[in-house]
Short mmCIF file of all heavy atoms in Angstrom, two decimals:
data_model
loop_
_atom_site.label_atom_id
_atom_site.label_comp_id
_atom_site.label_asym_id
_atom_site.label_seq_id
_atom_site.Cartn_x
_atom_site.Cartn_y
_atom_site.Cartn_z
N GLN A 7 235.24 -69.01 151.98
CA GLN A 7 234.26 -69.26 153.03
C GLN A 7 234.19 -68.11 154.02
O GLN A 7 233.12 -67.76 154.52
CB GLN A 7 234.61 -70.57 153.74
CG GLN A 7 234.36 -71.82 152.91
CD GLN A 7 234.88 -73.05 153.58
OE1 GLN A 7 236.02 -73.07 154.05
NE2 GLN A 7 234.05 -74.09 153.61
N PRO A 13 226.79 -60.72 157.27
CA PRO A 13 226.28 -59.63 156.41
C PRO A 13 226.15 -60.05 154.95
O PRO A 13 225.18 -59.70 154.28
CB PRO A 13 227.31 -58.53 156.58
CG PRO A 13 227.95 -58.79 157.89
CD PRO A 13 228.00 -60.29 158.01
N THR A 19 220.30 -63.48 150.92
CA THR A 19 218.99 -64.07 151.22
C THR A 19 217.87 -63.05 151.34
O THR A 19 216.71 -63.41 151.23
CB THR A 19 219.05 -64.87 152.54
OG1 THR A 19 219.48 -63.99 153.61
CG2 THR A 19 220.02 -66.03 152.44
N LEU A 23 213.84 -63.72 150.82
CA LEU A 23 212.84 -63.56 151.88
C LEU A 23 211.76 -62.58 151.47
O LEU A 23 210.58 -62.76 151.77
CB LEU A 23 213.54 -63.11 153.17
CG LEU A 23 214.48 -64.13 153.82
CD1 LEU A 23 215.21 -63.51 154.99
CD2 LEU A 23 213.72 -65.38 154.25
N PRO A 30 201.22 -64.61 147.34
CA PRO A 30 199.83 -64.66 147.80
C PRO A 30 199.66 -65.74 148.87
O PRO A 30 200.37 -66.75 148.87
CB PRO A 30 199.05 -65.02 146.52
CG PRO A 30 199.95 -64.58 145.42
CD PRO A 30 201.34 -64.80 145.90
N THR A 32 197.94 -68.86 151.04
CA THR A 32 197.18 -70.05 150.71
C THR A 32 195.88 -70.05 151.51
O THR A 32 195.80 -69.51 152.61
CB THR A 32 197.97 -71.33 151.06
OG1 THR A 32 198.34 -71.30 152.46
CG2 THR A 32 199.24 -71.41 150.22
N VAL A 33 194.87 -70.67 150.96
CA VAL A 33 193.57 -70.77 151.64
C VAL A 33 193.63 -71.91 152.66
O VAL A 33 194.00 -73.05 152.30
CB VAL A 33 192.44 -71.01 150.64
CG1 VAL A 33 191.12 -71.21 151.36
CG2 VAL A 33 192.35 -69.85 149.65
N GLY A 40 185.71 -66.84 148.08
CA GLY A 40 184.47 -66.57 147.40
C GLY A 40 183.30 -67.39 147.90
O GLY A 40 182.24 -67.40 147.28
N TYR A 60 191.33 -63.62 147.41
CA TYR A 60 192.16 -63.82 148.60
C TYR A 60 193.50 -64.46 148.27
O TYR A 60 194.54 -64.04 148.77
CB TYR A 60 191.41 -64.66 149.62
CG TYR A 60 192.21 -64.95 150.88
CD1 TYR A 60 192.26 -64.01 151.91
CD2 TYR A 60 192.89 -66.16 151.05
CE1 TYR A 60 192.98 -64.25 153.07
CE2 TYR A 60 193.62 -66.41 152.21
CZ TYR A 60 193.65 -65.45 153.22
OH TYR A 60 194.37 -65.69 154.36
N LEU A 73 178.69 -59.40 165.07
CA LEU A 73 178.11 -60.04 166.25
C LEU A 73 176.59 -60.04 166.16
O LEU A 73 175.98 -58.96 166.06
CB LEU A 73 178.57 -59.31 167.53
CG LEU A 73 180.09 -59.16 167.74
CD1 LEU A 73 180.36 -58.47 169.08
CD2 LEU A 73 180.79 -60.49 167.65
N THR A 81 173.24 -73.58 168.87
CA THR A 81 174.19 -74.47 168.19
C THR A 81 173.91 -74.60 166.70
O THR A 81 174.67 -75.25 165.99
CB THR A 81 174.15 -75.87 168.84
OG1 THR A 81 172.82 -76.38 168.78
CG2 THR A 81 174.60 -75.81 170.30
N VAL A 88 170.48 -65.07 159.51
CA VAL A 88 169.14 -64.51 159.32
C VAL A 88 169.14 -62.98 159.21
O VAL A 88 168.19 -62.40 158.69
CB VAL A 88 168.18 -64.95 160.46
CG1 VAL A 88 168.04 -66.46 160.47
CG2 VAL A 88 168.63 -64.41 161.81
N LEU A 125 190.19 -62.72 167.73
CA LEU A 125 190.86 -61.82 166.79
C LEU A 125 192.34 -62.18 166.67
O LEU A 125 192.88 -62.24 165.55
CB LEU A 125 190.71 -60.37 167.28
CG LEU A 125 191.45 -59.31 166.43
CD1 LEU A 125 190.90 -59.27 165.02
CD2 LEU A 125 191.36 -57.94 167.09
N ASP A 135 195.12 -57.51 157.51
CA ASP A 135 195.79 -56.26 157.84
C ASP A 135 195.42 -55.90 159.28
O ASP A 135 194.26 -55.55 159.55
CB ASP A 135 195.32 -55.16 156.88
CG ASP A 135 196.07 -53.83 157.10
OD1 ASP A 135 196.67 -53.67 158.16
OD2 ASP A 135 196.02 -52.97 156.20
N GLY A 148 175.31 -55.34 169.25
CA GLY A 148 175.65 -53.93 169.36
C GLY A 148 176.26 -53.62 170.72
O GLY A 148 177.26 -52.92 170.84
N GLY A 150 177.73 -55.81 172.51
CA GLY A 150 179.03 -56.50 172.50
C GLY A 150 180.11 -55.68 171.84
O GLY A 150 181.25 -55.65 172.32
N PRO A 159 190.63 -51.26 173.25
CA PRO A 159 190.53 -50.21 172.22
C PRO A 159 191.56 -50.31 171.11
O PRO A 159 191.40 -49.65 170.08
CB PRO A 159 190.73 -48.91 173.04
CG PRO A 159 191.44 -49.35 174.28
CD PRO A 159 190.96 -50.72 174.57
N PRO A 167 177.88 -50.18 165.75
CA PRO A 167 176.85 -50.87 166.55
C PRO A 167 175.44 -50.46 166.14
O PRO A 167 175.18 -49.30 165.85
CB PRO A 167 177.17 -50.40 167.98
CG PRO A 167 177.81 -49.06 167.80
CD PRO A 167 178.51 -49.08 166.48
N ARG A 186 180.16 -45.50 164.04
CA ARG A 186 179.03 -45.17 163.17
C ARG A 186 177.86 -46.02 163.68
O ARG A 186 177.79 -47.20 163.37
CB ARG A 186 179.36 -45.48 161.72
CG ARG A 186 178.30 -45.00 160.71
CD ARG A 186 178.67 -45.45 159.31
NE ARG A 186 177.71 -44.97 158.31
CZ ARG A 186 177.89 -43.91 157.52
NH1 ARG A 186 179.03 -43.22 157.59
NH2 ARG A 186 176.98 -43.54 156.65
N GLY A 190 166.57 -47.12 165.96
CA GLY A 190 165.23 -46.68 165.62
C GLY A 190 164.63 -45.86 166.77
O GLY A 190 164.79 -46.24 167.94
N VAL A 195 162.48 -52.30 172.72
CA VAL A 195 163.30 -53.38 173.28
C VAL A 195 164.60 -52.82 173.85
O VAL A 195 165.00 -53.11 174.97
CB VAL A 195 163.59 -54.45 172.22
CG1 VAL A 195 164.48 -55.55 172.78
CG2 VAL A 195 162.29 -55.03 171.69
N HIS A 201 171.67 -44.94 173.97
CA HIS A 201 172.61 -44.95 172.85
C HIS A 201 173.06 -43.52 172.53
O HIS A 201 174.24 -43.27 172.26
CB HIS A 201 171.96 -45.59 171.63
CG HIS A 201 172.97 -46.29 170.74
ND1 HIS A 201 172.60 -47.05 169.66
CD2 HIS A 201 174.33 -46.31 170.75
CE1 HIS A 201 173.68 -47.55 169.07
NE2 HIS A 201 174.73 -47.10 169.69
N ALA A 203 173.18 -41.12 174.71
CA ALA A 203 174.07 -40.74 175.81
C ALA A 203 175.48 -41.30 175.59
O ALA A 203 176.48 -40.64 175.93
CB ALA A 203 173.49 -41.21 177.15
N LEU A 208 181.16 -40.22 174.18
CA LEU A 208 182.37 -40.47 173.39
C LEU A 208 182.84 -39.18 172.70
O LEU A 208 184.04 -38.88 172.66
CB LEU A 208 182.09 -41.55 172.35
CG LEU A 208 183.28 -41.99 171.47
CD1 LEU A 208 184.43 -42.48 172.32
CD2 LEU A 208 182.86 -43.05 170.47
N PRO A 230 167.47 -51.35 157.75
CA PRO A 230 167.96 -50.16 157.03
C PRO A 230 169.45 -49.89 157.26
O PRO A 230 170.13 -49.42 156.35
CB PRO A 230 167.10 -49.02 157.61
CG PRO A 230 166.63 -49.52 158.94
CD PRO A 230 166.45 -50.98 158.76
N LYS A 245 191.33 -47.02 159.41
CA LYS A 245 192.65 -47.62 159.61
C LYS A 245 193.28 -47.04 160.85
O LYS A 245 193.28 -45.82 161.07
CB LYS A 245 193.53 -47.36 158.39
CG LYS A 245 194.87 -48.07 158.42
CD LYS A 245 195.64 -47.90 157.11
CE LYS A 245 196.93 -48.69 157.12
NZ LYS A 245 197.66 -48.56 155.84
#
Side-chain angles (χ1 to χ4, degrees):
Q7 289 173 312
T19 57
L23 293 174
T32 56
V33 176
Y60 179 82
L73 304 182
T81 57
V88 299
L125 176 63
D135 184 343
R186 187 184 183 100
V195 178
H201 210 172
L208 183 58
K245 187 173 183 178

